[in-house]
């Protein structure tokens, strides 16, 4: 490792961040790159890293600081930490920085918050700059969109809540507030009026891949203890999937059939196989609980109780779908187990694999599972080759020693890189090349580099901007898009590095 020279400390405090948005090619906020990939379908919508064509849009770190004045999040007045950036992806996977495309703080209390890119619009959520009659900022959110070249911005909706869950679809914004679900339609040219889609929903599950929202709703009839499950499509259309009488054969007065009334809660939707997984509890017996799945033939979502599969005689919650016919991987505890589809009244479970602590599964590649354990990234062949049982001889491989954060959900896998909040480096967005990890006679851990790039100081010439280069000839290298306070922390953390 290389030492940060003492001379750098004085230089950096003056030069590095006067929030220098001109570090890459001197683009202004209202002219960041172009819109030439607007016809490309974006990858990883709903995460903090979205790829469209050869452009990468991403959130430059986690900024949860509440506003003390509206000016702190006005266009151009926001901290560089948490702003939305844009980079050009080179053929070798390296990034050429274009700069900040949305100089407002991306923020949401929703754990799966992310960016969406459709056409030449970026859709995002930020803190509202509305204030009360004393000028104090209201603690709420504003859903917005900006052109991918930064030339135009529009407000879509404002909500006085920071925990609102949401999804931007191609046709409109769907979001929750208190017990209601709202929809705001939009076209390329205009934003439509907001409308209430659902009142008094009880549960919600969002599918970013299919741009849909599943929700549960209790019956308005007090005699009916069953609830219904419906889906909101991308244009705001609602289809009822599981009705309050879906599990009874009585067409009339089915509310008297208490034995076949159930409370249904959605736990997971598998977009690849169009399977909805849910728990079901009988209204007349507390012990009658189970975990089920239903595979829909198409997006008409026709449901027939005879075709559902049961996987467990308990209410599973932390599961990873392996396939409708293969089962569910339960990783709610340190004992990993696969629940296979039941063919009778008994559960069919695989052998178990015990981990040192509970894990968080973030990706599957065949039999290989990538997961976080104590906020470090590992991989292991947890599954057998068929992918429907536990491999009890699985060997865990630690990919990196860098600590992952979790403000906005799981890390993002894109091409051969994994993007994540680096909690050891003041929560900025970093990435690591998974191909740089190797486990031979000597383990080589994957290294992490800040996505928005570095400033280098050679003292012999002007500052040079470097993106994700592990160049040992560069002795003085610090993040370019970083606040002054975080830069001071960064320098202190790296002072002890040796030449």
């Amino acid at each position: 490792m290389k030492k940060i020279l003492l001379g750098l400390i004085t230089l950096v405090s003056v030069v590095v961040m006067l929030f220098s948005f001109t570090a890459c090619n001197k683009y202004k906020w209202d002219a960041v790159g172009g819109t030439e990939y607007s016809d490309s379908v974006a990858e990883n919508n709903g995460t903090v890293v979205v790829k469209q064509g050869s452009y990468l849009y991403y959130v430059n770190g986690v900024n949860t600081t509440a506003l003390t004045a509206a000016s702190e999040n006005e266009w151009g007045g926001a901290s560089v930490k948490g702003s939305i950036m844009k980079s050009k992806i080179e053929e070798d996977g390296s990034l050429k920085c274009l700069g900040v495309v949305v100089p407002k703080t991306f923020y949401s209390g929703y754990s799966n918050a992310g960016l969406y890119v459709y056409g030449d619009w970026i859709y995002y959520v930020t803190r509202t700059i509305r204030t009360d009659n004393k000028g104090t900022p209201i603690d709420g959110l504003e859903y917005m969109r900006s052109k991918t070249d930064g030339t135009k911005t529009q407000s879509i909706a404002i909500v006085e809540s920071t925990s609102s869950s949401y999804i931007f679809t191609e046709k409109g914004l769907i979001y929750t507030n208190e017990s209601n679900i709202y929809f705001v339609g939009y076209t390329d040219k205009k934003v439509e009026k907001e409308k209430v889609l659902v009142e008094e929903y009880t549960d919600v599950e969002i599918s970013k891949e299919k741009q849909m929202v599943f929700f549960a709703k209790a019956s308005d009839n007090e005699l009916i203890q069953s609830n219904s499950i419906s889906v909101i499509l991308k244009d705001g259309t609602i289809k009822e999937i599981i009705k309050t009488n879906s599990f009874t054969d009585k067409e009339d007065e089915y509310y008297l059939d208490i034995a076949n009334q159930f409370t249904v809660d959605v736990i997971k939707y598998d977009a690849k196989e169009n399977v909805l997984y849910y728990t079901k509890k009988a209204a007349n017996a507390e012990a009658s609980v189970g975990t089920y799945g239903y595979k829909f033939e198409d997006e008409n979502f026709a449901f027939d109780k005879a075709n559902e599969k049961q996987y467990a005689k308990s209410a599973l919650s932390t599961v990873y779908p392996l396939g409708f016919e293969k089962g569910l991987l339960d990783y709610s505890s340190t004992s990993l187990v696969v629940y296979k589809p039941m063919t009778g009244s008994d559960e069919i479970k695989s052998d178990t694999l015990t981990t040192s602590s509970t894990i968080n599964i973030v990706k599957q590649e065949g039999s290989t599972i990538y997961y976080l354990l104590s906020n470090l990234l590992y991989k292991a062949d947890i599954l057998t080759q068929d992918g429907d049982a536990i491999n009890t001889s699985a060997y865990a491989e630690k990919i990196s020693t860098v600590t992952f954060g979790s403000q906005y959900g799981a890390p993002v896998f894109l091409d051969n890189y994994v993007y994540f909040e680096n909690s050891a480096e003041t929560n900025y967005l970093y990435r690591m090349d998974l191909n740089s990890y190797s486990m031979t006679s000597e383990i080589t851990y994957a290294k992490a580099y800040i996505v928005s790039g570095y400033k280098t100081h050679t003292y012999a010439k002007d500052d040079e901007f470097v993106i994700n280069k592990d160049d040992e000839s560069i002795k003085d290298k610090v993040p370019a898009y970083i606040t002054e306070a975080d830069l001071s922390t960064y320098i202190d953390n790296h002072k002890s590095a040796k030449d």
Side-chain angles (χ1 to χ4, degrees), residues 35 37-40 42 52 57 117-123 148 188:
T35 60
Y37 300 107
S38 60
D39 291 335
S40 300
Q52 186 190 45
Y57 301 89
V117 178
Y118 298 111
D120 55 2
W121 289 100
I122 313 167
Y123 296 83
T148 53
D188 186 59

Side-chain angles (χ1 to χ4, degrees), residues 373-409:
L373 176 63
S374 300
N375 296 321
L376 299 177
L377 184 63
Y378 290 78
K379 71 174 182 179
D381 290 333
I382 290 176
L383 302 173
T384 59
Q385 288 300 314
D386 292 335
D388 61 352
I390 292 293
N391 173 21
T392 56
S393 59
Y395 180 82
E397 300 179 28
K398 183 163 65 175
I399 295 175
S400 175
T401 58
V402 180
T403 305
F404 282 48
S406 59
Q407 174 68 22
Y408 296 125

Side-chain angles (χ1 to χ4, degrees), residues 219-226 255 261:
S219 173
D220 294 330
N221 188 335
E222 295 182 356
L223 296 177
I224 299 174
Q225 298 185 47
S226 295
Y255 54 86
Q261 291 192 32

Side-chain angles (χ1 to χ4, degrees), residues 73-233:
N73 198 33
E74 290 176 347
W75 187 267
S79 168
V80 68
K81 186 175 188 178
S83 286
I84 300 172
M85 302 195 67
K86 178 179 183 178
S87 291
K88 186 71 174 292
I89 306 171
E90 303 289 272
E91 290 186 2
D92 63 357
S94 63
L95 301 176
K96 180 180 180 181
C97 184
L98 294 176
V100 175
V101 65
V102 178
K104 290 178 72 70
T105 300
F106 177 90
Y107 176 75
S108 173
Y110 174 45
S111 61
N112 287 309
L115 307 173
Y116 293 80
V117 178
Y118 298 111
D120 55 2
W121 289 100
I122 313 167
Y123 296 83
Y124 57 95
V125 61
T126 184
R127 289 189 184 276
T128 178
I129 58 173
R130 291 177 60 185
T131 60
D132 59 21
N133 56 9
K134 296 182 180 180
T136 303
I138 296 171
D139 192 19
L141 301 177
E142 186 165 8
Y143 294 102
M144 306 186 73
R145 68 177 182 176
S146 297
K147 287 287 189 178
T148 53
D149 60 1
T151 57
K152 185 178 182 180
T153 293
Q154 293 178 333
S155 176
I156 298 175
I158 296 176
V159 55
E160 292 186 15
S161 167
T162 58
S163 58
S164 168
S165 56
Y166 70 93
I167 180 175
F168 289 103
T169 76
E170 295 172 298
K171 301 295 185 179
L173 164 68
I174 304 171
Y175 74 93
T176 66
N177 184 25
E178 296 180 343
S179 58
N180 295 339
I181 302 177
Y182 297 81
F183 179 80
V184 185
Y186 41 68
T187 64
D188 186 59
K189 297 184 180 299
K190 69 175 184 178
V191 176
E192 299 169 357
K193 291 183 178 180
E194 175 184 273
K195 61 182 179 181
V196 179
L197 284 184
V198 183
E199 294 182 338
E200 303 296 332
Y201 80 95
T202 58
D203 188 26
V204 69
E205 173 74 12
I206 294 175
S207 171
K208 298 175 181 179
E209 300 90 341
K210 290 291 187 72
Q211 301 180 46
M212 300 185 301
V213 176
F214 297 90
F215 68 91
K217 184 175 173 60
S219 173
D220 294 330
N221 188 335
E222 295 182 356
L223 296 177
I224 299 174
Q225 298 185 47
S226 295
N227 66 317
S228 63
I229 302 294
S230 301
V231 62
I232 305 171
L233 304 181

Side-chain angles (χ1 to χ4, degrees), residues 43 51 61 64 116 227 310 322 327 352 359 458 482:
E43 300 177 46
K51 176 183 177 183
T64 59
Y116 293 80
N227 66 317
Q310 184 173 3
L322 302 177
T352 60
I359 67 173
T458 62
I482 188 171

Side-chain angles (χ1 to χ4, degrees), residues 287-299:
S288 181
V289 180
T291 300
Y292 298 78
Y294 192 91
K295 184 178 178 67
F296 298 100
E297 294 183 359
D298 50 40
E299 291 191 5

